[in-house]
Amino acid sequence: MKLSTRTAVYALLPAVAAGAALMTLGGPAQAAEICGQYDRATVGAYTVQNNLWNPAGAQCVSPTGSGFEVTKAEGQVPTNGAPKSYPSIFNGCHYTACSPGTKLPARISSISSAPSSVSYAYTADGVYNASYDIWLDPEPKTDGVSKVEIMIWANKVGPIQPIGSDTGTTVTMAGTTWQVWEGDNGQNKVISYVAPSAVDELGFDVKEFISHANSRGFGDSSWYLTSVQAGFEPWQGGAGLKVNSFSSEVNTG
């Protein structure tokens, strides 16, 4: 999500406004497009967010019955800096918003399983990643920034890389062998798992990635899972990117 040279940028830029708008969608029909910088919309048990936190131009997303599409993505930012945004769908609590009926935050040691799936649709144009975010904190945090961010890069288009550095190690999970990167953006520690080529669909237990991150010093089982999110980080362009479908469950006890 971020390069090591982005530390100052991430420390200064707010990720979301306290007064972010919340829209509630009714019925199975596709919801109206949302274009406000921090607009959110409810899609079933999840929340879609525009999250244009480092704007270079207008951005809009259209929520669907099980995901969303980026319908407008103007402007570009340098590829050695922070991305423009993180349009995404999530289960849990992100800043001041919690998705409907979520079981998060939940202590990691209490979670027996956390099955999740995501299906992406990519575009040939632009510079972006497709990323699945897992957030951990030592407290049951429901606002602000959690202390550890686990990123799963399902795709990378253009001259971008995760924050920090390549550890020179790989790990096989969710049917893919991932390159492991580690770093710190000035607000939280980040461990990233980068696919060697584009992955369109993922189905996995979130605890698998959490356990591996814990084993490398990124939190431990006494910490809390605060949210899981799937979306895109565009540096240039991004219109047409889609999360076709997203699911996330958290089973405790």
Side-chain angles (χ1 to χ4, degrees), residues 52 54-60 70-77 84-85 234-239:
L52 183 60
N54 184 25
Q59 177 178 284
C60 298
V70 180
T71 50
K72 180 184 288 186
E74 297 177 346
Q76 61 184 29
V77 293
K84 297 185 294 181
S85 60
W235 279 256
Q236 300 174 11

Side-chain angles (χ1 to χ4, degrees), residues 58-155:
Q59 177 178 284
C60 298
V61 300
S62 287
T64 64
S66 56
F68 68 91
E69 177 180 359
V70 180
T71 50
K72 180 184 288 186
E74 297 177 346
Q76 61 184 29
V77 293
T79 55
N80 64 345
K84 297 185 294 181
S85 60
Y86 183 50
S88 48
I89 184 169
F90 69 88
N91 173 23
C93 298
H94 181 78
Y95 284 84
T96 58
C98 293
S99 58
T102 186
K103 295 181 180 179
L104 300 178
R107 192 182 293 274
I108 294 167
S109 61
S110 75
I111 299 172
S112 55
S113 64
S116 186
S117 66
V118 61
S119 169
Y120 293 106
Y122 303 128
T123 64
D125 299 329
V127 175
Y128 63 88
N129 69 28
S131 57
Y132 189 109
D133 264 19
I134 302 165
W135 288 93
L136 310 179
D137 198 84
E139 302 295 331
K141 198 175 188 68
T142 58
D143 60 5
V145 180
S146 294
K147 297 296 185 183
V148 161
E149 180 181 16
I150 301 170
M151 296 199 74
I152 304 170
W153 282 39
N155 194 12

